[in-house]
Amino acid sequence: MQYLKKIIFLLITLSTFVAAQAQTKKSRASLEQEKKNNLRKIASVRKILNNTQKEKESSVGEIKAIGEQIDNQEKRIELVSKDINLIKVEMEELKKAQSELELKLKNLRHEYAEMLYKESKNSSKLTKLGFLFSSSSINELFMRYKYLEQYTENRKQQLVQINKIAEMLRERQKTLLHKKISQQQLIEELKIENKNLAVLKDRQSLVLEDLSKREEELKAQLEKSKAAVSNLNSLISKVITAEKTTRKVPASRREIEETRTKTAKTESKTKAAEPEKKETVSYATNSSKKFKNFAAAKHNLSWPVNGFISDRFGVKNHPVLKGVKVDNNGIDIQTENGATVRAVFEGLVLDISQIPGLNNVVAIQHGDYYTVYANLETVNVRINQEVNINQALGTAAKKDGYHEINFQIWHNFDKLNPEPWLVNK
């Protein structure tokens, strides 16, 4: 009985270790997903960066892409370091469990050997048959028989448990060896990633040095950009004002209602006996999809184009010109040549215009919300067209040597930061 208690205690120890391993596996899965996402971002920005570096002259777009890649590379180094530390924790857990198991297994084997020794000594004095037939009654004979049967079975089970634990120890040793190899590989990978980071920072310094020599040119570009942004603000404000003052309902809805009215009049002449059927028109709703309205889709809007945020919402320092501030009513997303720009939500195309410095601009209405897609090379939609989520609006245009769009979200006349509205990549 005492021996069985020790077996049970050992199994409890093993279950505790398995639970700790499960928690470590959860951390491992989360880390691996982060690493995968980071590698995808690095690959995406690398393609964009390669496009900008094909240009004859350095550009603000290139410096933004390098800055983004430096951030990604630093994140990569951080994740590799986390991986090394996690492996260290895993190895410590393995070593601790291995030491405990080895000690307990040694004790179990020692006790099992003593039990066999005592049994062999007793068996020389009294055989099993002698033990049985020395019973004083049939009932006692039966009880002694059951005892011998259980004793033999318990001994077999104890041996099975000892072998099982020994096998688990061998597996732990293999896992520990694998972890050591993985840790060494990651240490070497970390050295390479640090070298890659140094190369990026050297490139950043060279591009900044080159751009600083073209200060007047950059200032001229900035003034041109400010004028384009001012024109865009005026345009969107006028479009929203016109929509609110001259249209109680969107044009597409009005046209649908007019068509239905004409159809109803025609049908009433031939089917006067039929009761009138009323239909409800739903504008800018998404009942067949996950979100019922634009506001409910916050944090889950799809990206208008593949790429990275090259300029964030609000006021910040110019990436090159010292002491110069730049303002953005939305976000700029740098992308690849020929990248498709898509609607982030279903709605109605309210306006399509051309603005010097921002090429084609598409404005889409989603009830009281509006999304704006500026600097499009081509446009695939028309005014008053209803569009679906992810429907292609056109392609991204080039700006000062790199491809980039400006994306804005307005709530009535308030300009919102689009970044929190987009799904995390």
Side-chain angles (χ1 to χ4, degrees):
M1 183 62 69
Q2 188 67 23
Y3 189 82
L4 286 175
K5 286 181 179 180
K6 291 183 179 181
I7 289 286
I8 292 169
F9 178 74
L10 181 58
L11 292 175
I12 292 172
T13 303
L14 286 174
S15 65
T16 304
F17 173 69
V18 170
Q21 268 198 320
Q23 183 61 38
T24 305
K25 283 182 179 178
K26 188 176 179 181
S27 300
R28 163 67 55 198
S30 176
L31 178 60
E32 291 300 330
Q33 186 59 47
E34 272 195 275
K35 288 172 71 177
K36 190 183 294 184
N37 292 341
N38 176 256
L39 285 173
R40 188 172 63 247
K41 287 180 181 179
I42 287 175
S44 175
V45 177
R46 185 183 292 121
K47 290 173 70 176
I48 296 170
L49 188 55
N50 288 340
N51 287 335
T52 61
Q53 289 176 344
K54 288 178 183 178
E55 299 295 324
K56 294 180 180 179
E57 290 185 335
S58 301
S59 65
V60 174
E62 183 179 0
I63 204 68
K64 289 178 179 179
I66 292 173
E68 179 70 12
Q69 198 68 320
I70 286 173
D71 289 344
N72 290 334
Q73 190 65 29
E74 287 175 343
K75 182 65 176 178
R76 174 70 181 159
I77 290 169
E78 178 189 333
L79 291 173
V80 172
S81 299
K82 278 185 179 180
D83 204 348
I84 292 171
N85 290 332
L86 183 57
I87 286 178
K88 184 180 178 181
V89 171
E90 291 169 342
M91 288 172 65
E92 287 173 353
E93 288 177 354
L94 282 167
K95 287 177 182 177
K96 182 180 177 182
Q98 185 172 320
S99 297
E100 291 177 358
L101 287 174
E102 284 175 347
L103 179 61
K104 292 181 185 301
L105 186 59
K106 181 181 178 181
N107 292 336
L108 282 172
R109 282 175 169 164
H110 177 71
E111 290 175 10
Y112 186 71
E114 283 188 344
M115 182 180 69
L116 293 179
Y117 175 72
K118 288 179 181 178
E119 182 186 345
S120 65
K121 286 182 69 175
N122 291 332
S123 64
S124 63
K125 298 176 182 177
L126 184 67
T127 64
K128 290 182 180 179
L129 285 175
F131 177 70
L132 287 172
F133 289 112
S134 63
S135 303
S136 58
S137 67
I138 294 295
N139 285 337
E140 187 179 345
L141 177 85
F142 177 75
M143 294 296 293
R144 289 189 178 191
Y145 173 77
K146 294 297 293 181
Y147 170 78
L148 287 174
E149 189 180 58
Q150 290 175 3
Y151 179 81
T152 302
E153 182 60 28
N154 285 339
R155 196 174 69 179
K156 288 180 182 178
Q157 288 298 321
Q158 290 164 7
L159 189 59
V160 168
Q161 291 296 335
I162 287 174
N163 291 334
K164 183 178 178 180
I165 293 167
E167 178 60 29
M168 290 179 70
L169 270 172
R170 285 192 288 272
E171 289 299 320
R172 296 292 179 274
Q173 288 167 350
K174 288 179 184 177
T175 304
L176 186 59
L177 179 61
H178 175 71
K179 293 291 181 185
K180 287 179 179 178
I181 294 171
S182 297
Q183 187 182 50
Q184 190 57 45
Q185 289 174 341
L186 284 170
I187 290 171
E188 293 302 316
E189 183 181 341
L190 191 60
K191 293 177 183 177
I192 294 171
E193 298 300 347
N194 276 309
K195 287 181 181 178
N196 292 338
L197 179 61
V199 169
L200 280 170
K201 289 186 174 181
D202 287 343
R203 177 61 185 167
Q204 184 184 48
S205 298
L206 289 172
V207 175
L208 280 172
E209 184 180 352
D210 182 42
L211 288 172
S212 63
K213 297 174 183 176
R214 296 158 46 200
E215 187 173 333
E216 294 304 317
E217 180 186 339
L218 293 180
K219 285 181 178 179
Q221 287 179 0
L222 183 58
E223 290 304 315
K224 181 182 175 182
S225 178
K226 284 181 178 179
V229 169
S230 178
N231 290 335
L232 178 61
N233 286 342
S234 299
L235 171 70
I236 301 303
S237 295
K238 287 177 182 177
V239 167
I240 295 175
T241 300
E243 187 276 327
K244 288 187 175 297
T245 56
T246 62
R247 300 184 188 183
K248 293 182 180 179
V249 294
S252 60
R253 179 175 175 177
R254 183 190 62 203
E255 290 167 359
I256 292 170
E257 292 291 356
E258 288 174 354
T259 302
R260 285 175 178 164
T261 302
K262 291 177 182 178
T263 303
K265 287 179 180 179
T266 303
E267 290 179 347
S268 64
K269 293 178 182 179
T270 55
K271 298 182 180 180
E274 287 187 7
E276 183 182 357
K277 294 181 180 180
K278 294 183 179 180
E279 295 184 55
T280 303
V281 179
S282 175
Y283 173 69
T285 61
N286 194 20
S287 57
S288 63
K289 300 187 180 83
K290 185 177 179 181
F291 305 105
K292 292 185 177 181
N293 55 59
F294 189 87
K298 190 171 183 179
H299 307 301
N300 290 282
L301 290 180
S302 57
W303 280 56
V305 70
N306 289 327
F308 69 92
I309 297 176
S310 50
D311 190 65
R312 288 183 155 77
F313 181 82
V315 180
K316 80 285 297 178
N317 294 322
H318 189 277
V320 179
L321 299 173
K322 294 180 180 180
V324 177
K325 299 286 185 180
V326 290
D327 193 8
N328 197 334
N329 293 325
I331 56 173
D332 293 342
I333 303 177
Q334 198 174 145
T335 186
E336 298 177 61
N337 181 20
T340 300
V341 181
R342 302 181 183 276
V344 299
F345 201 77
E346 63 178 5
L348 181 76
V349 178
L350 201 59
D351 186 77
I352 299 172
S353 299
Q354 286 188 333
I355 294 178
L358 285 173
N359 293 289
N360 294 295
V361 177
V362 176
I364 300 179
Q365 183 188 14
H366 318 275
D368 289 334
Y369 289 85
Y370 306 83
T371 53
V372 181
Y373 312 77
N375 203 42
L376 272 60
E377 180 71 27
T378 60
V379 176
N380 300 339
V381 292
R382 64 184 184 280
I383 294 176
N384 292 333
Q385 178 181 343
E386 291 183 349
V387 295
N388 297 317
I389 294 175
N390 293 325
Q391 183 168 334
L393 304 177
T395 56
K398 212 170 190 179
K399 176 186 174 184
D400 300 327
Y402 54 97
H403 290 80
E404 184 177 75
I405 72 161
N406 178 257
F407 174 65
Q408 299 185 18
I409 297 178
W410 292 49
H411 181 215
N412 293 319
F413 294 97
D414 295 328
K415 294 177 276 291
L416 307 179
N417 181 3
E419 193 170 350
W421 287 78
L422 300 177
V423 68
N424 286 330
K425 291 178 71 175

